[in-house]
Amino acid sequence: MRAHQIMTKPVVTVEPDTTILEAANMMLTRHISGLPVVDATGKLVGIVSEGDFIRRRESARADATVVG
């Protein structure tokens, strides 16, 4: 199997200033697990994935833990 056989078409992208909430909602409504992040010229500058949301939540929990 090759990537083109399972990828989402057309490509759904977000811009760097897209909010996390907007990106998450887009992923949920379109049933996709990641979004390429592109600048105004269409150049790829990053990728947002479900894993990024999970790690962000785990990081927030660790920051909120009171030690002592």
Side-chain angles (χ1 to χ4, degrees), residues 2-64:
R2 307 224 183 237
H4 73 90
Q5 294 171 300
I6 62 170
M7 67 185 191
T8 301
K9 295 182 274 186
V11 176
V12 179
T13 63
V14 293
E15 297 177 349
D17 62 343
T18 302
T19 68
I20 292 171
L21 183 59
E22 289 171 319
N25 283 330
M26 189 178 298
M27 290 166 65
L28 287 170
T29 59
R30 295 176 185 254
H31 306 285
I32 55 178
S33 59
L35 290 166
V37 181
V38 297
D39 66 14
T41 66
K43 179 182 175 188
L44 181 67
V45 296
I47 297 176
V48 176
S49 70
E50 288 177 342
D52 295 324
F53 293 116
I54 293 168
R55 281 186 292 283
R56 178 183 162 93
R57 183 175 172 107
E58 289 172 352
S59 175
R61 282 186 186 167
D63 292 343

